[in-house]
Amino acid sequence: DTEVTQTPKHLVMGMTNKKSLKCEQHMGHRAMYWYKQKAKKPPELMFVYSYEKLSINESVPSRFSPECPNSSLLNLHLHALQPEDSALYLCASSQDSLAVTDTQYFGPGTRLTVL
Amino acid sequence: AQSVTQPDIHITVSEGASLELRCNYSYGATPYLFWYVQSPGQGLQLLLKYFSGDTLVQGIKGFEAEFKRSQSSFNLRKPSVHWSDAAEYFCAVGALDNDMRFGAGTRLTVKP
């Protein structure tokens, strides 16, 4: 099973809402990632979790709050977002974040619209 | 930091024709290079990757790529394109801390 699942597929939220994105993998991977992809742009790395600890934070605003409750789950909590945060949010996982040679497997993404 | 340039924003080829997508990278050390494909509204799928060894790399779906250190290039090729190959293609370079940087992407359109 090489699948990374993400829920929900689509999310529309207001600027005062609090919502969460969920990512799950059952491949035994110990590294998980959040990327943000604006329309017609490449994915941009936001966070990397390695062995359930945050190892990379690419200076993401605090209105995005990641959480890794266990090795299979990765959440992204959203609060007080801005319309410019509307994007496709991609989750990925790999065997070991310290080994760039490990393939990153991507989920289908959550399409977020902030009104 | 590493970076990737994909010079072609959009390419159109006829079904059955050959394809070459260009990728140039900038990185001070040995690069770790990847090609990903993304269908509309979908996540990314790895086509192939290069770390070391043979500079011609075979991937899935009949794709191959050639690493040329002298030209800092990692171009993707396919001898005969199928309509299902229409998608966005991203070249990426990775560093040892697994900070992966993607190129801007090349959108492939396949004419019948």
Side-chain angles (χ1 to χ4, degrees), chain A residues 6-21:
Chain A
Q6 290 187 244
T7 54
K9 285 192 174 181
H10 302 276
L11 178 62
V12 179
M13 60 186 290
M15 289 189 284
T16 58
N17 291 157
K18 285 185 182 181
K19 297 286 184 184
S20 296
L21 309 185

Side-chain angles (χ1 to χ4, degrees), chain B residues 4-67:
Chain B
V4 175
T5 302
Q6 293 180 248
D8 305 306
I9 295 174
H10 183 206
I11 281 183
T12 299
V13 300
S14 297
E15 191 168 14
S18 63
L19 171 70
E20 182 168 30
L21 302 182
R22 296 184 291 164
C23 172
N24 293 99
Y25 69 89
S26 173
Y27 187 52
T30 301
Y32 300 92
L33 297 162
F34 308 80
W35 274 102
Y36 281 87
V37 61
Q38 184 178 33
S39 297
Q42 298 297 312
L44 281 75
Q45 182 182 26
L46 181 71
L47 288 175
L48 47 78
K49 58 187 178 184
Y50 171 80
F51 301 138
S52 64
D54 193 347
T55 56
L56 186 62
V57 181
Q58 301 297 321
I60 62 171
K61 304 185 180 189
F63 285 94
E64 67 176 26
E66 186 171 12
F67 171 64

Side-chain angles (χ1 to χ4, degrees), chain B residues 73-88:
Chain B
S73 69
F74 188 57
N75 294 347
L76 182 71
R77 301 194 293 249
K78 187 170 184 178
S80 178
V81 168
H82 188 262
W83 64 266
S84 60
D85 294 323
E88 189 86 21

Side-chain angles (χ1 to χ4, degrees), chain A residues 63-75:
Chain A
R63 57 186 184 268
F64 295 92
S65 174
E67 179 201 15
C68 191
N70 60 57
S71 60
S72 300
L73 279 176
L74 183 65
N75 298 320

Side-chain angles (χ1 to χ4, degrees), chain A residues 12-112:
Chain A
V12 179
M13 60 186 290
M15 289 189 284
T16 58
N17 291 157
K18 285 185 182 181
K19 297 286 184 184
S20 296
L21 309 185
K22 180 180 170 183
C23 174
E24 194 165 4
Q25 56 88 13
H26 295 287
M27 295 179 277
H29 290 173
R30 303 314 300 266
M32 296 184 77
Y33 312 76
W34 279 116
Y35 287 85
K36 175 182 178 180
Q37 186 179 21
K38 300 282 282 183
K40 300 189 187 301
K41 297 290 186 184
E44 294 177 344
L45 184 66
M46 299 174 72
F47 303 103
V48 180
Y49 270 82
S50 175
Y51 291 83
E52 296 138 59
K53 286 189 169 50
L54 184 64
S55 68
I56 293 179
N57 177 343
E58 292 284 355
S59 302
V60 178
S62 59
R63 57 186 184 268
F64 295 92
S65 174
E67 179 201 15
C68 191
N70 60 57
S71 60
S72 300
L73 279 176
L74 183 65
N75 298 320
L76 187 62
H77 302 298
L78 315 172
H79 175 54
L81 294 194
Q82 303 296 311
E84 59 264 29
D85 296 321
S86 298
L88 182 68
Y89 288 83
L90 294 165
C91 174
S93 71
S94 68
Q95 188 66 37
D96 182 349
S97 72
L98 295 181
V100 69
T101 52
D102 286 333
T103 298
Q104 289 190 29
Y105 293 89
F106 283 81
T110 293
R111 175 75 59 189
L112 174 67

